[in-house]
Amino acid sequence: MSGGGRIPLPFHDAAALALRDGQLRRNLGTVTGAIRAKRTAVTEELPDWQALRAAGKAIKDHTLRNLGHYLTQLEAAVTSRGGTVHWARDATEANRIVRELVAASGEREVVKVKSMTTDEIGLNEALAEDGVVAIETDLAELIVQLAGEEPSHILVPAIHKNRAEIRELFLRAFELDPSELNDDPADLAAAARSFLRERFLEARVAVSGANFAVADTGTIAIVESEGNGRMCLTLPETLITVMGIEKVLPSWRDLEVFLQLLPRSSTAERMNPYTSFFSGTTDGDGPSAFHLVLLDAGRSRTLADEVGRETLRCIRCSACLNVCPIYERVGGHPYGSVYPGPIGAILNPQLRGAPNDAELPYASTLCGACYEVCPVAIDIPTILIEMRRRVVEGSPRRPRRLSATVEDVALRAAARIFASPSRYEAAQRLARLGQAPFVRKGVLRNLPGQLSGWSESRDLRPIPARPFRSWWRERAATAVEEGEK
Ligand code: SF4
C-alpha cells in the first residue's frame, strides 16, 4: 500500500507510520533518485551556476527589503492593463474573494492550474462549500484529486503512487473497461487528456497561482510541463490568479536569472516546456477579466523575522525535498502540509504555526544537502537550528529542572572536552573502556540513562581501538622515519 493522505499526527508518529510502507519508500526512492541525478547533470553543465545562484539570492533579498514598493508598483501596472488587484490578509480573505468572483460568474465548475498557494489556503474545499467543483488540470494533481488524497511532493504531487495504482484509479474514475487502459505512461496521460479536454472547452473560469510577477510591467509568469496550464490561462473568460506576496520581482530582466534557476532545480530541465506570460487583459485575446489576489497569510510576519525571513526567497523548486534523507524515506504526508521536506520544516512553523508544526524543525539530520542544492541559497540548516532553539525556549517542559540540569551539565562538559585536544583524547580513552558492555555485533546497544534514546533508534558505531588521531600520529612518525633513512 502507499498511503495518500496527510496524517493528522505529530511528525514523529506520522513518520513512523509512513516508514512501515515499503511500497511508498520504493516509489519515493525511485523518483527522488532519478530527479537528483538529472538535476546534478543540468546544473553542473552551467559554468556560472553558483553565480546564477548568488544573483537569484541577491534579487530576492533586494525585493524583500523593498517589498511594499514593488507590490504597489505591481498593483499599479496590473490595474493599468485592465486587471483588478485584491489584497488578502489570510486564507479566509483570499478564499472569500475567489468565492465571490466565481459566484458572480454563475459557474459551478472552474479549471485550475497547478498551484501550491491555492492548496495552502484550501481553495478547492472553500469552493466546494458553495457547490463549485475545482478541476485540477495538472496530471499529477488530477491523480491526487481523483484519489481523494493530498499531494506529497511540491513538484510531483503523486510521487507516492506508481503506474499500476494510477491505472486502477483511472479505470474507476473514468469508468473504463480494463481492456481499454494499460499502465504505459503515454496511455495513462492520454486517458487524462481526453477527460480534461472537455473540461477546458466548457470552462468559463480558471484559477491559477503564479511562479513570478514582474512589478514594472504587471506580468505574471507561470511555468509548467504539460500545457494544461496554458489552456487554463487562455481559454476561459475569467482568470483568477492567487499569489503569495513574496513572488514579485522588480523587472522583466530578473526573469533571466529565475527562468534558468527554476527548471534546472525542479524538473531538471534546461527550460520549462511551457512558459506563459500574461499582463492584464487584451480585447479578443485570452480572458476578458483578470483578477490578481495578493496573499499575505503569515508572510509579513516571516519578513519581520531576522533569521527566518530568507525563507521567503523560496521559489518552490522542490530540489531540497529530493536530496533530503528524511523526506526520501517518509514522503510528504507526515509533514501535514502542502509544503513538505526541508522547506516545509521551516516554512510551516513560520506561516501558520500549527501545534504539530513545532516538531517539523526536528525532521532533519542537519546534513546540509538542502542548502547545497537550493537555487536561492536559503540556509535551511541554520534556520532549523534557530527554530529548534525557539521550540525549546517556548516548551512547557523547559521548567522541568531535572532534565534541563542534566542536559545543561552534559553540554557544558562536552564543550570543555571538545575545547581541548588532550581532554578530548582522554575522554575518548575512557569511553572506549566504558563502552565494552554495550557493544553487540559491532554496534552500541542499550546505552544507559539519557543516552538510551540514541541507541534505540540509531546504529551507533563503537569508538575504534585505534582512533583517527592515533593512526595519523603513527602515520606521520613512519613518514619521518622513512624520510631519515
Ligand atoms: S527552499 Fe530552495 S531548494 Fe527548497 S523548494 Fe525552496 S527554492 Fe527550492
Side-chain angles (χ1 to χ4, degrees), residues 154 265 311 313-321 342-343 346 370 373-378 380:
I154 291 176
S265 302
T311 312
R313 291 206 295 264
C314 177
I315 56 174
R316 312 283 192 265
C317 71
S318 74
C320 56
L321 277 60
I343 181 59
I346 58 172
C370 47
V373 297
C374 179
V376 283
I378 299 174
I380 296 175

Side-chain angles (χ1 to χ4, degrees), residues 5 22 35 37 61 81 86 91 144 160 164 181 203 207 216 223 226 287 297 299 315 338 350 368 370 385-386 485:
I35 304 177
D61 281 345
R81 285 171 169 76
H86 309 259
V144 169
H160 55 287
L181 187 64
V207 177
D216 62 0
V223 298
E226 299 168 3
R299 287 155 174 84
I315 56 174
V338 295
Q350 297 189 85
C370 47
I385 291 168
E386 169 60 16
K485 278 181 194 166

Side-chain angles (χ1 to χ4, degrees), residues 354-374:
N356 283 347
D357 288 348
E359 278 211 359
L360 294 183
Y362 293 90
S364 171
T365 62
L366 299 179
C367 67
C370 47
Y371 169 70
E372 294 297 326
V373 297
C374 179

Side-chain angles (χ1 to χ4, degrees), residues 109-303:
E109 190 173 292
V110 302
V111 285
K112 275 188 73 204
V113 186
K114 179 178 171 348
S115 150
M116 299 304 300
T117 310
T118 57
D119 286 350
E120 175 191 326
I121 62 175
L123 180 62
N124 291 8
E125 295 75 17
L127 287 171
E129 287 176 24
D130 299 338
V132 174
V133 179
I135 308 274
E136 296 290 349
T137 64
D138 173 84
L139 176 57
E141 286 275 357
L142 177 67
I143 290 167
V144 169
Q145 185 178 43
L146 291 175
E149 297 178 356
E150 315 274 0
S152 66
H153 189 282
I154 291 176
L155 178 72
V156 200
I159 193 172
H160 55 287
K161 292 201 136 356
N162 63 24
R163 294 186 328 194
E165 291 169 320
I166 294 167
R167 174 176 175 269
E168 288 300 316
L169 174 67
F170 281 6
L171 287 176
R172 278 199 310 277
F174 304 149
E175 297 177 352
L176 299 172
D177 186 87
S179 62
E180 295 177 84
L181 187 64
N182 61 42
D183 66 2
D184 183 73
D187 287 346
L188 294 172
R193 186 180 302 126
S194 66
F195 168 78
L196 287 172
R197 278 295 145 108
E198 287 175 32
R199 301 297 172 311
F200 288 132
L201 293 173
E202 285 170 8
R204 290 181 55 231
V205 178
V207 177
S208 83
N211 291 104
F212 308 102
V214 180
D216 62 0
T217 59
T219 305
I220 307 297
I222 293 182
V223 298
E224 44 142 356
S225 297
E226 299 168 3
N228 294 340
R230 185 164 294 176
M231 298 280 233
C232 296
L233 301 174
T234 49
L235 291 176
E237 292 162 17
T238 300
L239 173 60
I240 306 165
T241 296
V242 183
M243 183 190 107
I245 52 175
E246 80 283 16
K247 297 286 180 68
V248 67
L249 296 174
S251 72
W252 184 265
R253 182 78 193 266
D254 299 320
L255 288 171
E256 170 193 349
V257 172
F258 290 99
L259 293 181
Q260 295 183 75
L261 288 174
L262 181 55
R264 285 173 196 262
S265 302
S266 56
T267 47
E269 292 168 302
R270 294 184 179 96
M271 64 182 289
N272 290 96
Y274 292 87
T275 302
S276 301
F277 300 112
F278 51 95
S279 312
T281 58
T282 305
D283 285 343
D285 182 10
S288 52
F290 170 57
H291 296 270
L292 177 62
V293 182
L294 292 172
L295 175 74
D296 188 318
R299 287 155 174 84
S300 294
R301 191 174 56 241
T302 304
L303 187 60

Side-chain angles (χ1 to χ4, degrees), residues 465-483:
R466 188 167 65 145
F468 174 78
R469 284 163 178 268
S470 316
W471 173 83
W472 184 256
R473 268 195 300 268
E474 286 166 26
R475 184 177 175 278
T478 311
V480 171
E481 276 172 26
E482 283 176 0

